Amino acid sequence: MSAMGDGTRAVRAGLPEPQQYEPTLPGPVFAAHFHLSGEPTGPYTYGRDTNPTWTHLERAIGELEAPGENVETTVFASGMAAVSAVLLSQVSTGDVVVLPDDGYQALPLVRAQLEAYGVEVRTAPTGGDAQLAVLEGARLLWIETPSNPGLDVCDVRRLVEAAHAGGTLVAVDNTLATPLGQRPLELGADFSVASDTKGMTGHGDILLGHVTCRDSELAAGVRRWRKVVGAIPGPMEAWLAHRSLATLELRIERQCANALLLAETLAKHPEVSGLRYPGLPADASYPNAVRQMRRFGSVVSFVLADRGTAERFLSALRLAEDATSFGGVRSTAERRARWGGDAVPEGFIRFSVGAENAADLVADVERALAEAVTGS
């Protein structure tokens, strides 16, 4: 399928060979156990280990992550389950791990757990490829690009080259970009990781995550970790996720186009500062993004004067829900400082652009900004 376009690939990914009178995408298999006589050598033995519905989804994601290549994908009950599986299956006491200090809000929780296990954790910002300075002797480098919520982009190829020269594994959190925006394995990473709760499934109604890698030994370690901790997705969630992948290109194309238009509009607004969107040529992340990304994502971030202005803006929006998470077909926005874990100003807004008509969305944002500034 490597010669096919993204839309065709998304629609066809992971489908089994056609069978007369059978559905194109078989329904979810709800089974804790399977018929199993003799030696347990078949593909499906027990529901915590394997499931046919997972298999179809894992093949589908693998085809999107690395078209035409032989890769292995493992799906998880959530994005954090996928993140933890890589970090905790690949390192041991005494190892060094490098994390971004501006990454996803739950990463500090993982850091604390790693340190409790005797792992040394070093951190550095995503921007400016700053993680290079603390890379020496590391077992694993964790990259999040674009970073969430600051939207900095690092040079993945450069970091991978430096890491591999020192025997360091590289994992890339690709949640914000999705495989249609960026393919970490093509950039040299050992692991491509994502919370599929976000853009991959796109409807805000599924918790899911995945890890994809080329190396079968690394994949076996990740899969073994899933079995040990039981961080498995439900069959219904896996089936719904596979169903949702068919519209991935349609959703991403619309959302990214909307995000760029919204960013261009916000760039002209006098009350907006700190605007970030990797697809804007004036953005600090653009030089790296344009070299390694095919689409720039659906998230725009910016800063309003203070907490009160930000809260009034969010309350005035009619086409964006005040909610956390991102990547959905319905726009969402939130004041990130309310969580207390991100180093952002009180008026910092993370806006996840949906698939609404662009003109309607822009008009809603402009109206909400006017009301927020005047206080009316």
Side-chain angles (χ1 to χ4, degrees), residues 73-225:
T73 295
T74 305
V75 291
F76 289 86
S78 69
M80 280 308 300
V83 169
S84 300
V86 174
L87 287 165
L88 296 173
S89 71
Q90 301 300 321
V91 303
S92 304
T93 300
D95 284 342
V96 174
V97 170
V98 176
L99 301 178
D101 63 12
D102 55 349
Y104 180 55
Q105 189 186 41
L107 271 184
L109 300 177
V110 181
R111 174 181 182 172
Q113 192 62 61
L114 289 168
E115 290 174 336
Y117 289 153
V119 175
E120 178 186 344
V121 179
R122 303 171 188 161
T123 64
T126 299
D129 300 339
Q131 289 173 297
L132 287 172
V134 294
L135 194 56
E136 185 176 356
R139 164 66 179 168
L140 177 68
L141 166 64
W142 187 271
I143 297 172
E144 185 179 304
T145 183
S147 62
N148 173 30
L151 303 183
D152 276 317
V153 175
C154 60
D155 186 335
V156 176
R157 291 186 183 91
R158 182 187 182 199
L159 286 166
V160 166
E161 183 178 351
H164 285 174
T168 302
L169 295 170
V170 180
V172 175
D173 185 332
N174 200 44
T175 301
L176 199 145
T178 81
L180 268 62
Q182 179 175 263
R183 294 192 180 120
L185 299 185
E186 290 183 357
L187 299 173
D190 300 289
F191 303 91
S192 180
V193 189
S195 169
D196 301 315
T197 308
K198 314 297 195 301
M200 283 285 276
T201 56
H203 292 81
D205 54 8
I206 301 169
L207 286 172
L208 199 80
H210 81 267
V211 178
T212 301
C213 49
R214 288 193 181 94
D215 188 291
S216 59
E217 185 174 343
L218 295 178
V222 170
R223 199 170 291 267
R224 187 181 310 113
W225 182 263

Side-chain angles (χ1 to χ4, degrees), residues 16-351:
E17 289 297 317
Q19 299 292 329
Q20 187 78 338
Y21 310 121
E22 293 293 326
T24 304
L25 177 62
V29 175
F30 298 101
H33 57 264
F34 302 83
H35 289 294
L36 185 65
S37 59
E39 296 299 317
T41 57
Y44 304 109
T45 57
Y46 186 64
R48 189 183 67 253
D49 299 339
T50 50
N51 179 289
T53 309
W54 302 350
T55 299
H56 294 313
L57 176 61
E58 288 172 343
R59 288 174 180 168
I61 293 173
E63 289 172 17
L64 296 173
E65 286 276 13
E69 297 189 42
N70 184 24
V71 296
E72 294 188 41
T73 295
T74 305
V75 291
F76 289 86
S78 69
M80 280 308 300
V83 169
S84 300
V86 174
L87 287 165
L88 296 173
S89 71
Q90 301 300 321
V91 303
S92 304
T93 300
D95 284 342
V96 174
V97 170
V98 176
L99 301 178
D101 63 12
D102 55 349
Y104 180 55
Q105 189 186 41
L107 271 184
L109 300 177
V110 181
R111 174 181 182 172
Q113 192 62 61
L114 289 168
E115 290 174 336
Y117 289 153
V119 175
E120 178 186 344
V121 179
R122 303 171 188 161
T123 64
T126 299
D129 300 339
Q131 289 173 297
L132 287 172
V134 294
L135 194 56
E136 185 176 356
R139 164 66 179 168
L140 177 68
L141 166 64
W142 187 271
I143 297 172
E144 185 179 304
T145 183
S147 62
N148 173 30
L151 303 183
D152 276 317
V153 175
C154 60
D155 186 335
V156 176
R157 291 186 183 91
R158 182 187 182 199
L159 286 166
V160 166
E161 183 178 351
H164 285 174
T168 302
L169 295 170
V170 180
V172 175
D173 185 332
N174 200 44
T175 301
L176 199 145
T178 81
L180 268 62
Q182 179 175 263
R183 294 192 180 120
L185 299 185
E186 290 183 357
L187 299 173
D190 300 289
F191 303 91
S192 180
V193 189
S195 169
D196 301 315
T197 308
K198 314 297 195 301
M200 283 285 276
T201 56
H203 292 81
D205 54 8
I206 301 169
L207 286 172
L208 199 80
H210 81 267
V211 178
T212 301
C213 49
R214 288 193 181 94
D215 188 291
S216 59
E217 185 174 343
L218 295 178
V222 170
R223 199 170 291 267
R224 187 181 310 113
W225 182 263
R226 182 180 68 179
K227 177 178 180 177
V228 169
V229 301
I232 59 172
M236 192 67 200
E237 286 78 9
W239 185 86
L240 286 169
H242 197 167
R243 185 273 325 259
S244 297
L245 287 182
T247 62
L248 180 59
E249 190 202 37
L250 295 172
R251 293 185 279 106
I252 295 298
E253 281 287 316
R254 179 65 165 261
Q255 291 168 253
C256 290
N258 283 357
L260 178 59
L261 183 60
L262 179 61
E264 291 171 341
T265 300
L266 291 169
K268 303 171 186 175
H269 199 286
E271 302 297 330
V272 169
S273 64
L275 175 67
R276 298 302 305 271
Y277 182 66
L280 283 175
D283 190 274
S285 290
Y286 184 79
N288 278 336
V290 77
R291 285 196 300 268
Q292 66 193 28
M293 299 182 73
R294 296 179 299 134
R295 297 173 177 88
F296 301 110
S298 61
V299 177
V300 178
S301 67
F302 56 97
V303 180
L304 298 179
D306 50 35
R307 175 175 179 167
T309 305
E311 295 287 3
R312 289 193 298 273
F313 168 71
L314 293 170
S315 296
L317 289 169
R318 297 293 176 265
L319 297 181
E321 300 162 1
D322 191 346
T324 195
S325 199
F326 57 85
V329 291
R330 290 177 293 277
S331 290
T332 61
E334 70 169 339
R335 191 180 65 84
R336 283 300 293 174
R338 66 181 176 176
W339 297 101
D342 296 312
V344 295
E346 287 293 325
F348 184 99
I349 301 292
R350 184 182 70 182
F351 201 110

